[in-house]
Amino acid sequence: MSALGMTAVLGGCGLTGGSGDVTLKLIAADYGDSAANSSQKYWDQLVKEYESKHSGVKIDVTVYSWSDVDRKVKELVDAGKAPDMAQIGAYSDYAAKGLLYSADDMLSISTQADFGSQLATAGQVKGVQYGLPFAASTRLLFYNKTLFKDAGLTPPKTWNELAADAKALKARGVKFPYALPLGPEEAQAETMQWLLSGDGGYTDAVGTYGIDSAQNVDTFTWLKNDLVGKGLTGPVAPGSLNRAAAFEAFAGGDVGMLNGHPSLMKIAAKKGVKYGMVPMPGVNGPSKNAMGVADWMTAFKKNGHAEQVGKFLDFVYDEKNVLAFSREYDLLPVTTSASEVMSSDKQDAALKPFLAQLPLSELYPVDKTSWAAVAAAVKKRIGSAVAPGGSPAATLSQLESTASMAESAQ
């Protein structure tokens, strides 16, 4: 899974032999979890409808898994064979190299205006939007209703309440009272959720890295001393616990609480686990900021089809298509029009708590070309901050140094 969950589509584009038709190549990510709901099926249906109404334009879509899609696109770009479009996990590297069309270059004004404001802003580099949000997600604290009821607990609103609930769950033999996945799969997400709940974050108010801020050090010191150090995070060291394993353990009834995104609802429901969801607890009450995640659509200049790409993307972002994709994969829509529909439609009731968080969410600093290196460093090192003998201050200081060097190298 990408930031959200998956990505793919392949590219290289040109005119077909003498016909005058334009073939647009798209590489996209796969958000499905089986062949039955592969994203290839979604795109095939969408393309069929589009081509039936637009003669002279063909759309060639190739879908890759999230573990392959970003690499595939990079290989094509490096070989001078960039696709016309790529739906991937990041955009800023390509934007910094001047390889992408801006939203203004392609999209209609109505399509641009429909993007959620914070998502559109997150897609900007120096005030120009190059990353088009394609799918979004937020995080909530999931808790096992059965375990909580048996222990006479109520969902926590503060860190201290979370620790007290975890202590009570541990006393009743719950394997993972609070699952803290700081393993290399997606440690940057769990880390950000906790930093935000402590009124910190990866960056400060003006967008400068501040990973070793006093607030962040306090957050990880509390995690180390009050959760991990007291044996409330389970038998697997947080630095060795990946998100997928934590989700599986929750679905198996072995986890009292953990942070999760919408896909966990389906995973838990399949195993018959009764769960509840509440905003992430903070120091003195529910966290004021939620973590948001977005995946991105990009359009490369290489083949010079701005007009054709723009018209196709206007179609992709039509309300009904955004709704269809979001509903198929339990993701949040990136447009205001689709969000309004889902907020009021009974069939989308399960996603409403996540939708409510989206306007107030904070995303990774994806506008920074340094973010990929910083995220990789967080995945590798953050687990040591809460390990026995580890130092939150030292680990966060090392990560800040990595971030500073990555920024200065751009």
Side-chain angles (χ1 to χ4, degrees), residues 285-323:
S287 177
K288 298 170 187 171
N289 297 310
M291 189 190 79
V293 178
D295 294 330
W296 304 94
M297 178 69 76
T298 59
F300 288 87
K301 295 178 179 179
K302 174 70 176 177
N303 303 302
H305 296 133
E307 181 180 357
Q308 293 93 337
V309 168
K311 288 181 178 179
F312 175 65
L313 291 179
D314 282 339
F315 178 74
V316 168
Y317 286 104
D318 183 80
E319 179 184 297
K320 71 178 180 64
N321 294 328
V322 173
L323 283 170

PDB file of all heavy atoms in Angstrom, residues 285-323:
ATOM      1  N   GLY A 285      -7.187  15.945  25.655  1.00  0.00           N
ATOM      2  CA  GLY A 285      -8.471  15.689  25.015  1.00  0.00           C
ATOM      3  C   GLY A 285      -8.222  15.185  23.612  1.00  0.00           C
ATOM      4  O   GLY A 285      -7.067  15.040  23.198  1.00  0.00           O
ATOM      5  N   PRO A 286      -9.278  14.918  22.855  1.00  0.00           N
ATOM      6  CA  PRO A 286      -9.087  14.424  21.490  1.00  0.00           C
ATOM      7  C   PRO A 286      -8.152  15.322  20.690  1.00  0.00           C
ATOM      8  O   PRO A 286      -8.183  16.554  20.812  1.00  0.00           O
ATOM      9  CB  PRO A 286     -10.510  14.442  20.914  1.00  0.00           C
ATOM     10  CG  PRO A 286     -11.386  14.263  22.114  1.00  0.00           C
ATOM     11  CD  PRO A 286     -10.702  15.016  23.221  1.00  0.00           C
ATOM     12  N   SER A 287      -7.315  14.708  19.883  1.00  0.00           N
ATOM     13  CA  SER A 287      -6.348  15.461  19.078  1.00  0.00           C
ATOM     14  C   SER A 287      -7.056  16.467  18.176  1.00  0.00           C
ATOM     15  O   SER A 287      -8.099  16.173  17.581  1.00  0.00           O
ATOM     16  CB  SER A 287      -5.530  14.498  18.226  1.00  0.00           C
ATOM     17  OG  SER A 287      -4.625  15.181  17.386  1.00  0.00           O
ATOM     18  N   LYS A 288      -6.493  17.664  18.084  1.00  0.00           N
ATOM     19  CA  LYS A 288      -7.074  18.717  17.244  1.00  0.00           C
ATOM     20  C   LYS A 288      -6.797  18.461  15.768  1.00  0.00           C
ATOM     21  O   LYS A 288      -7.495  18.984  14.904  1.00  0.00           O
ATOM     22  CB  LYS A 288      -6.489  20.068  17.644  1.00  0.00           C
ATOM     23  CG  LYS A 288      -6.792  20.474  19.081  1.00  0.00           C
ATOM     24  CD  LYS A 288      -5.983  21.698  19.487  1.00  0.00           C
ATOM     25  CE  LYS A 288      -6.170  22.000  20.969  1.00  0.00           C
ATOM     26  NZ  LYS A 288      -5.235  23.045  21.444  1.00  0.00           N
ATOM     27  N   ASN A 289      -5.766  17.700  15.489  1.00  0.00           N
ATOM     28  CA  ASN A 289      -5.381  17.444  14.102  1.00  0.00           C
ATOM     29  C   ASN A 289      -5.379  15.951  13.806  1.00  0.00           C
ATOM     30  O   ASN A 289      -4.867  15.156  14.603  1.00  0.00           O
ATOM     31  CB  ASN A 289      -3.978  18.000  13.811  1.00  0.00           C
ATOM     32  CG  ASN A 289      -3.916  19.498  13.967  1.00  0.00           C
ATOM     33  OD1 ASN A 289      -4.737  20.215  13.419  1.00  0.00           O
ATOM     34  ND2 ASN A 289      -2.945  19.984  14.724  1.00  0.00           N
ATOM     35  N   ALA A 290      -5.953  15.592  12.679  1.00  0.00           N
ATOM     36  CA  ALA A 290      -5.912  14.206  12.227  1.00  0.00           C
ATOM     37  C   ALA A 290      -4.863  14.084  11.130  1.00  0.00           C
ATOM     38  O   ALA A 290      -4.522  15.065  10.468  1.00  0.00           O
ATOM     39  CB  ALA A 290      -7.276  13.774  11.694  1.00  0.00           C
ATOM     40  N   MET A 291      -4.362  12.875  10.967  1.00  0.00           N
ATOM     41  CA  MET A 291      -3.435  12.648   9.870  1.00  0.00           C
ATOM     42  C   MET A 291      -4.202  12.304   8.607  1.00  0.00           C
ATOM     43  O   MET A 291      -5.077  11.437   8.623  1.00  0.00           O
ATOM     44  CB  MET A 291      -2.475  11.513  10.193  1.00  0.00           C
ATOM     45  CG  MET A 291      -1.349  11.397   9.173  1.00  0.00           C
ATOM     46  SD  MET A 291      -0.377   9.906   9.370  1.00  0.00           S
ATOM     47  CE  MET A 291      -1.433   8.722   8.586  1.00  0.00           C
ATOM     48  N   GLY A 292      -3.892  13.001   7.537  1.00  0.00           N
ATOM     49  CA  GLY A 292      -4.487  12.689   6.250  1.00  0.00           C
ATOM     50  C   GLY A 292      -3.433  12.133   5.312  1.00  0.00           C
ATOM     51  O   GLY A 292      -2.239  12.412   5.454  1.00  0.00           O
ATOM     52  N   VAL A 293      -3.867  11.314   4.373  1.00  0.00           N
ATOM     53  CA  VAL A 293      -2.959  10.736   3.386  1.00  0.00           C
ATOM     54  C   VAL A 293      -3.602  10.871   2.020  1.00  0.00           C
ATOM     55  O   VAL A 293      -4.815  10.757   1.879  1.00  0.00           O
ATOM     56  CB  VAL A 293      -2.688   9.234   3.680  1.00  0.00           C
ATOM     57  CG1 VAL A 293      -1.783   8.636   2.623  1.00  0.00           C
ATOM     58  CG2 VAL A 293      -2.063   9.070   5.053  1.00  0.00           C
ATOM     59  N   ALA A 294      -2.805  11.156   1.027  1.00  0.00           N
ATOM     60  CA  ALA A 294      -3.321  11.242  -0.339  1.00  0.00           C
ATOM     61  C   ALA A 294      -2.368  10.546  -1.296  1.00  0.00           C
ATOM     62  O   ALA A 294      -1.154  10.537  -1.085  1.00  0.00           O
ATOM     63  CB  ALA A 294      -3.508  12.701  -0.760  1.00  0.00           C
ATOM     64  N   ASP A 295      -2.926   9.951  -2.332  1.00  0.00           N
ATOM     65  CA  ASP A 295      -2.156   9.458  -3.467  1.00  0.00           C
ATOM     66  C   ASP A 295      -2.417  10.407  -4.626  1.00  0.00           C
ATOM     67  O   ASP A 295      -3.427  11.123  -4.641  1.00  0.00           O
ATOM     68  CB  ASP A 295      -2.560   8.034  -3.831  1.00  0.00           C
ATOM     69  CG  ASP A 295      -2.195   7.046  -2.738  1.00  0.00           C
ATOM     70  OD1 ASP A 295      -1.212   7.285  -2.029  1.00  0.00           O
ATOM     71  OD2 ASP A 295      -2.911   6.035  -2.602  1.00  0.00           O
ATOM     72  N   TRP A 296      -1.525  10.394  -5.620  1.00  0.00           N
ATOM     73  CA  TRP A 296      -1.506  11.485  -6.593  1.00  0.00           C
ATOM     74  C   TRP A 296      -1.589  11.022  -8.034  1.00  0.00           C
ATOM     75  O   TRP A 296      -1.039   9.982  -8.402  1.00  0.00           O
ATOM     76  CB  TRP A 296      -0.219  12.305  -6.396  1.00  0.00           C
ATOM     77  CG  TRP A 296      -0.105  12.794  -4.986  1.00  0.00           C
ATOM     78  CD1 TRP A 296       0.563  12.203  -3.956  1.00  0.00           C
ATOM     79  CD2 TRP A 296      -0.752  13.938  -4.434  1.00  0.00           C
ATOM     80  NE1 TRP A 296       0.387  12.914  -2.805  1.00  0.00           N
ATOM     81  CE2 TRP A 296      -0.403  13.992  -3.058  1.00  0.00           C
ATOM     82  CE3 TRP A 296      -1.567  14.939  -4.967  1.00  0.00           C
ATOM     83  CZ2 TRP A 296      -0.863  14.994  -2.209  1.00  0.00           C
ATOM     84  CZ3 TRP A 296      -2.030  15.946  -4.121  1.00  0.00           C
ATOM     85  CH2 TRP A 296      -1.683  15.965  -2.766  1.00  0.00           C
ATOM     86  N   MET A 297      -2.257  11.823  -8.827  1.00  0.00           N
ATOM     87  CA  MET A 297      -2.253  11.678 -10.280  1.00  0.00           C
ATOM     88  C   MET A 297      -1.300  12.736 -10.834  1.00  0.00           C
ATOM     89  O   MET A 297      -1.349  13.905 -10.434  1.00  0.00           O
ATOM     90  CB  MET A 297      -3.646  11.887 -10.864  1.00  0.00           C
ATOM     91  CG  MET A 297      -3.715  11.801 -12.383  1.00  0.00           C
ATOM     92  SD  MET A 297      -3.416  10.127 -13.022  1.00  0.00           S
ATOM     93  CE  MET A 297      -5.001   9.358 -12.650  1.00  0.00           C
ATOM     94  N   THR A 298      -0.444  12.335 -11.751  1.00  0.00           N
ATOM     95  CA  THR A 298       0.492  13.254 -12.380  1.00  0.00           C
ATOM     96  C   THR A 298       0.388  13.135 -13.896  1.00  0.00           C
ATOM     97  O   THR A 298      -0.023  12.097 -14.413  1.00  0.00           O
ATOM     98  CB  THR A 298       1.946  12.947 -11.962  1.00  0.00           C
ATOM     99  OG1 THR A 298       2.261  11.598 -12.346  1.00  0.00           O
ATOM    100  CG2 THR A 298       2.134  13.102 -10.466  1.00  0.00           C
ATOM    101  N   ALA A 299       0.763  14.191 -14.588  1.00  0.00           N
ATOM    102  CA  ALA A 299       0.733  14.175 -16.052  1.00  0.00           C
ATOM    103  C   ALA A 299       2.070  14.697 -16.574  1.00  0.00           C
ATOM    104  O   ALA A 299       2.485  15.816 -16.251  1.00  0.00           O
ATOM    105  CB  ALA A 299      -0.413  15.039 -16.572  1.00  0.00           C
ATOM    106  N   PHE A 300       2.750  13.883 -17.370  1.00  0.00           N
ATOM    107  CA  PHE A 300       4.079  14.227 -17.858  1.00  0.00           C
ATOM    108  C   PHE A 300       4.010  14.986 -19.193  1.00  0.00           C
ATOM    109  O   PHE A 300       3.185  14.687 -20.063  1.00  0.00           O
ATOM    110  CB  PHE A 300       4.916  12.957 -18.033  1.00  0.00           C
ATOM    111  CG  PHE A 300       5.339  12.342 -16.732  1.00  0.00           C
ATOM    112  CD1 PHE A 300       4.519  11.431 -16.069  1.00  0.00           C
ATOM    113  CD2 PHE A 300       6.546  12.685 -16.144  1.00  0.00           C
ATOM    114  CE1 PHE A 300       4.898  10.865 -14.869  1.00  0.00           C
ATOM    115  CE2 PHE A 300       6.942  12.132 -14.941  1.00  0.00           C
ATOM    116  CZ  PHE A 300       6.117  11.219 -14.299  1.00  0.00           C
ATOM    117  N   LYS A 301       4.926  15.933 -19.339  1.00  0.00           N
ATOM    118  CA  LYS A 301       4.990  16.764 -20.545  1.00  0.00           C
ATOM    119  C   LYS A 301       5.584  16.029 -21.749  1.00  0.00           C
ATOM    120  O   LYS A 301       5.418  16.469 -22.887  1.00  0.00           O
ATOM    121  CB  LYS A 301       5.850  18.006 -20.278  1.00  0.00           C
ATOM    122  CG  LYS A 301       5.291  18.977 -19.252  1.00  0.00           C
ATOM    123  CD  LYS A 301       6.285  20.125 -19.075  1.00  0.00           C
ATOM    124  CE  LYS A 301       5.801  21.163 -18.095  1.00  0.00           C
ATOM    125  NZ  LYS A 301       6.796  22.261 -17.916  1.00  0.00           N
ATOM    126  N   LYS A 302       6.299  14.945 -21.497  1.00  0.00           N
ATOM    127  CA  LYS A 302       7.140  14.297 -22.499  1.00  0.00           C
ATOM    128  C   LYS A 302       6.466  14.138 -23.865  1.00  0.00           C
ATOM    129  O   LYS A 302       7.065  14.424 -24.912  1.00  0.00           O
ATOM    130  CB  LYS A 302       7.561  12.925 -21.966  1.00  0.00           C
ATOM    131  CG  LYS A 302       8.327  12.050 -22.954  1.00  0.00           C
ATOM    132  CD  LYS A 302       9.717  12.592 -23.222  1.00  0.00           C
ATOM    133  CE  LYS A 302      10.493  11.650 -24.121  1.00  0.00           C
ATOM    134  NZ  LYS A 302      11.832  12.187 -24.454  1.00  0.00           N
ATOM    135  N   ASN A 303       5.212  13.710 -23.883  1.00  0.00           N
ATOM    136  CA  ASN A 303       4.549  13.398 -25.151  1.00  0.00           C
ATOM    137  C   ASN A 303       3.667  14.518 -25.684  1.00  0.00           C
ATOM    138  O   ASN A 303       3.071  14.384 -26.755  1.00  0.00           O
ATOM    139  CB  ASN A 303       3.748  12.103 -24.993  1.00  0.00           C
ATOM    140  CG  ASN A 303       4.624  10.955 -24.539  1.00  0.00           C
ATOM    141  OD1 ASN A 303       5.596  10.605 -25.184  1.00  0.00           O
ATOM    142  ND2 ASN A 303       4.308  10.384 -23.388  1.00  0.00           N
ATOM    143  N   GLY A 304       3.562  15.595 -24.914  1.00  0.00           N
ATOM    144  CA  GLY A 304       2.898  16.785 -25.410  1.00  0.00           C
ATOM    145  C   GLY A 304       1.410  16.698 -25.671  1.00  0.00           C
ATOM    146  O   GLY A 304       0.903  17.325 -26.593  1.00  0.00           O
ATOM    147  N   HIS A 305       0.674  15.961 -24.852  1.00  0.00           N
ATOM    148  CA  HIS A 305      -0.757  15.806 -25.080  1.00  0.00           C
ATOM    149  C   HIS A 305      -1.582  16.462 -23.978  1.00  0.00           C
ATOM    150  O   HIS A 305      -2.528  15.866 -23.445  1.00  0.00           O
ATOM    151  CB  HIS A 305      -1.123  14.328 -25.190  1.00  0.00           C
ATOM    152  CG  HIS A 305      -0.506  13.649 -26.369  1.00  0.00           C
ATOM    153  ND1 HIS A 305       0.129  12.433 -26.280  1.00  0.00           N
ATOM    154  CD2 HIS A 305      -0.404  14.012 -27.670  1.00  0.00           C
ATOM    155  CE1 HIS A 305       0.582  12.080 -27.472  1.00  0.00           C
ATOM    156  NE2 HIS A 305       0.272  13.025 -28.324  1.00  0.00           N
ATOM    157  N   ALA A 306      -1.240  17.682 -23.633  1.00  0.00           N
ATOM    158  CA  ALA A 306      -1.918  18.363 -22.527  1.00  0.00           C
ATOM    159  C   ALA A 306      -3.424  18.430 -22.722  1.00  0.00           C
ATOM    160  O   ALA A 306      -4.197  18.196 -21.791  1.00  0.00           O
ATOM    161  CB  ALA A 306      -1.347  19.772 -22.356  1.00  0.00           C
ATOM    162  N   GLU A 307      -3.863  18.749 -23.924  1.00  0.00           N
ATOM    163  CA  GLU A 307      -5.303  18.902 -24.164  1.00  0.00           C
ATOM    164  C   GLU A 307      -6.037  17.579 -23.990  1.00  0.00           C
ATOM    165  O   GLU A 307      -7.066  17.494 -23.300  1.00  0.00           O
ATOM    166  CB  GLU A 307      -5.552  19.449 -25.569  1.00  0.00           C
ATOM    167  CG  GLU A 307      -7.036  19.648 -25.878  1.00  0.00           C
ATOM    168  CD  GLU A 307      -7.280  20.187 -27.281  1.00  0.00           C
ATOM    169  OE1 GLU A 307      -6.293  20.462 -28.001  1.00  0.00           O
ATOM    170  OE2 GLU A 307      -8.465  20.316 -27.655  1.00  0.00           O
ATOM    171  N   GLN A 308      -5.519  16.517 -24.606  1.00  0.00           N
ATOM    172  CA  GLN A 308      -6.176  15.223 -24.514  1.00  0.00           C
ATOM    173  C   GLN A 308      -6.135  14.666 -23.088  1.00  0.00           C
ATOM    174  O   GLN A 308      -7.112  14.098 -22.599  1.00  0.00           O
ATOM    175  CB  GLN A 308      -5.523  14.225 -25.477  1.00  0.00           C
ATOM    176  CG  GLN A 308      -5.733  14.546 -26.948  1.00  0.00           C
ATOM    177  CD  GLN A 308      -4.593  15.394 -27.526  1.00  0.00           C
ATOM    178  OE1 GLN A 308      -3.883  16.088 -26.778  1.00  0.00           O
ATOM    179  NE2 GLN A 308      -4.423  15.334 -28.841  1.00  0.00           N
ATOM    180  N   VAL A 309      -4.980  14.846 -22.428  1.00  0.00           N
ATOM    181  CA  VAL A 309      -4.858  14.390 -21.038  1.00  0.00           C
ATOM    182  C   VAL A 309      -5.838  15.145 -20.151  1.00  0.00           C
ATOM    183  O   VAL A 309      -6.523  14.558 -19.301  1.00  0.00           O
ATOM    184  CB  VAL A 309      -3.412  14.579 -20.531  1.00  0.00           C
ATOM    185  CG1 VAL A 309      -3.347  14.388 -19.021  1.00  0.00           C
ATOM    186  CG2 VAL A 309      -2.471  13.605 -21.227  1.00  0.00           C
ATOM    187  N   GLY A 310      -5.922  16.450 -20.358  1.00  0.00           N
ATOM    188  CA  GLY A 310      -6.812  17.262 -19.544  1.00  0.00           C
ATOM    189  C   GLY A 310      -8.267  16.844 -19.667  1.00  0.00           C
ATOM    190  O   GLY A 310      -8.992  16.743 -18.665  1.00  0.00           O
ATOM    191  N   LYS A 311      -8.701  16.576 -20.888  1.00  0.00           N
ATOM    192  CA  LYS A 311     -10.094  16.174 -21.088  1.00  0.00           C
ATOM    193  C   LYS A 311     -10.374  14.821 -20.437  1.00  0.00           C
ATOM    194  O   LYS A 311     -11.446  14.603 -19.851  1.00  0.00           O
ATOM    195  CB  LYS A 311     -10.414  16.121 -22.576  1.00  0.00           C
ATOM    196  CG  LYS A 311     -10.513  17.503 -23.225  1.00  0.00           C
ATOM    197  CD  LYS A 311     -10.858  17.405 -24.706  1.00  0.00           C
ATOM    198  CE  LYS A 311     -10.999  18.793 -25.316  1.00  0.00           C
ATOM    199  NZ  LYS A 311     -11.304  18.731 -26.782  1.00  0.00           N
ATOM    200  N   PHE A 312      -9.403  13.916 -20.536  1.00  0.00           N
ATOM    201  CA  PHE A 312      -9.597  12.614 -19.902  1.00  0.00           C
ATOM    202  C   PHE A 312      -9.637  12.765 -18.383  1.00  0.00           C
ATOM    203  O   PHE A 312     -10.495  12.172 -17.710  1.00  0.00           O
ATOM    204  CB  PHE A 312      -8.484  11.645 -20.305  1.00  0.00           C
ATOM    205  CG  PHE A 312      -8.548  10.321 -19.586  1.00  0.00           C
ATOM    206  CD1 PHE A 312      -9.633   9.465 -19.789  1.00  0.00           C
ATOM    207  CD2 PHE A 312      -7.544   9.934 -18.706  1.00  0.00           C
ATOM    208  CE1 PHE A 312      -9.704   8.239 -19.122  1.00  0.00           C
ATOM    209  CE2 PHE A 312      -7.606   8.719 -18.046  1.00  0.00           C
ATOM    210  CZ  PHE A 312      -8.699   7.869 -18.254  1.00  0.00           C
ATOM    211  N   LEU A 313      -8.754  13.573 -17.819  1.00  0.00           N
ATOM    212  CA  LEU A 313      -8.747  13.737 -16.366  1.00  0.00           C
ATOM    213  C   LEU A 313      -9.981  14.477 -15.873  1.00  0.00           C
ATOM    214  O   LEU A 313     -10.464  14.218 -14.764  1.00  0.00           O
ATOM    215  CB  LEU A 313      -7.461  14.440 -15.919  1.00  0.00           C
ATOM    216  CG  LEU A 313      -6.180  13.609 -16.076  1.00  0.00           C
ATOM    217  CD1 LEU A 313      -4.962  14.403 -15.617  1.00  0.00           C
ATOM    218  CD2 LEU A 313      -6.275  12.293 -15.300  1.00  0.00           C
ATOM    219  N   ASP A 314     -10.506  15.395 -16.667  1.00  0.00           N
ATOM    220  CA  ASP A 314     -11.784  16.015 -16.298  1.00  0.00           C
ATOM    221  C   ASP A 314     -12.854  14.936 -16.130  1.00  0.00           C
ATOM    222  O   ASP A 314     -13.697  15.003 -15.229  1.00  0.00           O
ATOM    223  CB  ASP A 314     -12.236  17.020 -17.371  1.00  0.00           C
ATOM    224  CG  ASP A 314     -11.506  18.354 -17.282  1.00  0.00           C
ATOM    225  OD1 ASP A 314     -10.965  18.672 -16.201  1.00  0.00           O
ATOM    226  OD2 ASP A 314     -11.491  19.091 -18.293  1.00  0.00           O
ATOM    227  N   PHE A 315     -12.813  13.933 -17.001  1.00  0.00           N
ATOM    228  CA  PHE A 315     -13.757  12.813 -16.925  1.00  0.00           C
ATOM    229  C   PHE A 315     -13.466  11.947 -15.701  1.00  0.00           C
ATOM    230  O   PHE A 315     -14.390  11.538 -14.983  1.00  0.00           O
ATOM    231  CB  PHE A 315     -13.666  11.977 -18.209  1.00  0.00           C
ATOM    232  CG  PHE A 315     -14.549  10.775 -18.229  1.00  0.00           C
ATOM    233  CD1 PHE A 315     -15.922  10.897 -18.408  1.00  0.00           C
ATOM    234  CD2 PHE A 315     -14.011   9.495 -18.076  1.00  0.00           C
ATOM    235  CE1 PHE A 315     -16.744   9.772 -18.434  1.00  0.00           C
ATOM    236  CE2 PHE A 315     -14.829   8.367 -18.105  1.00  0.00           C
ATOM    237  CZ  PHE A 315     -16.197   8.513 -18.284  1.00  0.00           C
ATOM    238  N   VAL A 316     -12.204  11.660 -15.458  1.00  0.00           N
ATOM    239  CA  VAL A 316     -11.813  10.853 -14.298  1.00  0.00           C
ATOM    240  C   VAL A 316     -12.341  11.466 -13.010  1.00  0.00           C
ATOM    241  O   VAL A 316     -12.807  10.760 -12.104  1.00  0.00           O
ATOM    242  CB  VAL A 316     -10.277  10.707 -14.231  1.00  0.00           C
ATOM    243  CG1 VAL A 316      -9.825  10.124 -12.887  1.00  0.00           C
ATOM    244  CG2 VAL A 316      -9.772   9.829 -15.368  1.00  0.00           C
ATOM    245  N   TYR A 317     -12.287  12.805 -12.930  1.00  0.00           N
ATOM    246  CA  TYR A 317     -12.681  13.497 -11.709  1.00  0.00           C
ATOM    247  C   TYR A 317     -14.148  13.910 -11.691  1.00  0.00           C
ATOM    248  O   TYR A 317     -14.568  14.662 -10.809  1.00  0.00           O
ATOM    249  CB  TYR A 317     -11.780  14.716 -11.475  1.00  0.00           C
ATOM    250  CG  TYR A 317     -10.395  14.331 -10.990  1.00  0.00           C
ATOM    251  CD1 TYR A 317      -9.297  14.369 -11.846  1.00  0.00           C
ATOM    252  CD2 TYR A 317     -10.195  13.899  -9.688  1.00  0.00           C
ATOM    253  CE1 TYR A 317      -8.027  14.002 -11.412  1.00  0.00           C
ATOM    254  CE2 TYR A 317      -8.937  13.536  -9.239  1.00  0.00           C
ATOM    255  CZ  TYR A 317      -7.855  13.586 -10.104  1.00  0.00           C
ATOM    256  OH  TYR A 317      -6.608  13.220  -9.655  1.00  0.00           O
ATOM    257  N   ASP A 318     -14.930  13.403 -12.641  1.00  0.00           N
ATOM    258  CA  ASP A 318     -16.368  13.636 -12.600  1.00  0.00           C
ATOM    259  C   ASP A 318     -16.936  13.011 -11.329  1.00  0.00           C
ATOM    260  O   ASP A 318     -16.467  11.962 -10.875  1.00  0.00           O
ATOM    261  CB  ASP A 318     -17.028  13.009 -13.835  1.00  0.00           C
ATOM    262  CG  ASP A 318     -18.519  13.278 -13.885  1.00  0.00           C
ATOM    263  OD1 ASP A 318     -18.894  14.382 -14.290  1.00  0.00           O
ATOM    264  OD2 ASP A 318     -19.302  12.382 -13.504  1.00  0.00           O
ATOM    265  N   GLU A 319     -17.932  13.655 -10.770  1.00  0.00           N
ATOM    266  CA  GLU A 319     -18.471  13.225  -9.478  1.00  0.00           C
ATOM    267  C   GLU A 319     -18.790  11.736  -9.423  1.00  0.00           C
ATOM    268  O   GLU A 319     -18.423  11.033  -8.477  1.00  0.00           O
ATOM    269  CB  GLU A 319     -19.726  14.036  -9.152  1.00  0.00           C
ATOM    270  CG  GLU A 319     -20.391  13.662  -7.837  1.00  0.00           C
ATOM    271  CD  GLU A 319     -21.684  14.426  -7.614  1.00  0.00           C
ATOM    272  OE1 GLU A 319     -21.634  15.665  -7.511  1.00  0.00           O
ATOM    273  OE2 GLU A 319     -22.751  13.775  -7.546  1.00  0.00           O
ATOM    274  N   LYS A 320     -19.473  11.205 -10.431  1.00  0.00           N
ATOM    275  CA  LYS A 320     -19.892   9.807 -10.385  1.00  0.00           C
ATOM    276  C   LYS A 320     -18.692   8.863 -10.413  1.00  0.00           C
ATOM    277  O   LYS A 320     -18.717   7.787  -9.797  1.00  0.00           O
ATOM    278  CB  LYS A 320     -20.863   9.490 -11.524  1.00  0.00           C
ATOM    279  CG  LYS A 320     -20.263   9.461 -12.918  1.00  0.00           C
ATOM    280  CD  LYS A 320     -21.310   9.097 -13.959  1.00  0.00           C
ATOM    281  CE  LYS A 320     -20.740   9.055 -15.369  1.00  0.00           C
ATOM    282  NZ  LYS A 320     -19.725   7.998 -15.549  1.00  0.00           N
ATOM    283  N   ASN A 321     -17.639   9.244 -11.118  1.00  0.00           N
ATOM    284  CA  ASN A 321     -16.454   8.384 -11.184  1.00  0.00           C
ATOM    285  C   ASN A 321     -15.659   8.421  -9.885  1.00  0.00           C
ATOM    286  O   ASN A 321     -15.134   7.392  -9.438  1.00  0.00           O
ATOM    287  CB  ASN A 321     -15.580   8.799 -12.370  1.00  0.00           C
ATOM    288  CG  ASN A 321     -16.269   8.543 -13.695  1.00  0.00           C
ATOM    289  OD1 ASN A 321     -17.045   7.595 -13.832  1.00  0.00           O
ATOM    290  ND2 ASN A 321     -16.013   9.400 -14.676  1.00  0.00           N
ATOM    291  N   VAL A 322     -15.570   9.589  -9.276  1.00  0.00           N
ATOM    292  CA  VAL A 322     -14.895   9.691  -7.980  1.00  0.00           C
ATOM    293  C   VAL A 322     -15.655   8.893  -6.929  1.00  0.00           C
ATOM    294  O   VAL A 322     -15.058   8.185  -6.105  1.00  0.00           O
ATOM    295  CB  VAL A 322     -14.765  11.172  -7.553  1.00  0.00           C
ATOM    296  CG1 VAL A 322     -14.215  11.277  -6.122  1.00  0.00           C
ATOM    297  CG2 VAL A 322     -13.852  11.933  -8.511  1.00  0.00           C
ATOM    298  N   LEU A 323     -16.974   8.978  -6.957  1.00  0.00           N
ATOM    299  CA  LEU A 323     -17.786   8.215  -6.007  1.00  0.00           C
ATOM    300  C   LEU A 323     -17.607   6.718  -6.213  1.00  0.00           C
ATOM    301  O   LEU A 323     -17.465   5.954  -5.251  1.00  0.00           O
ATOM    302  CB  LEU A 323     -19.260   8.591  -6.164  1.00  0.00           C
ATOM    303  CG  LEU A 323     -19.696   9.914  -5.549  1.00  0.00           C
ATOM    304  CD1 LEU A 323     -21.118  10.260  -5.987  1.00  0.00           C
ATOM    305  CD2 LEU A 323     -19.619   9.849  -4.026  1.00  0.00           C
TER     306      LEU A 323
END
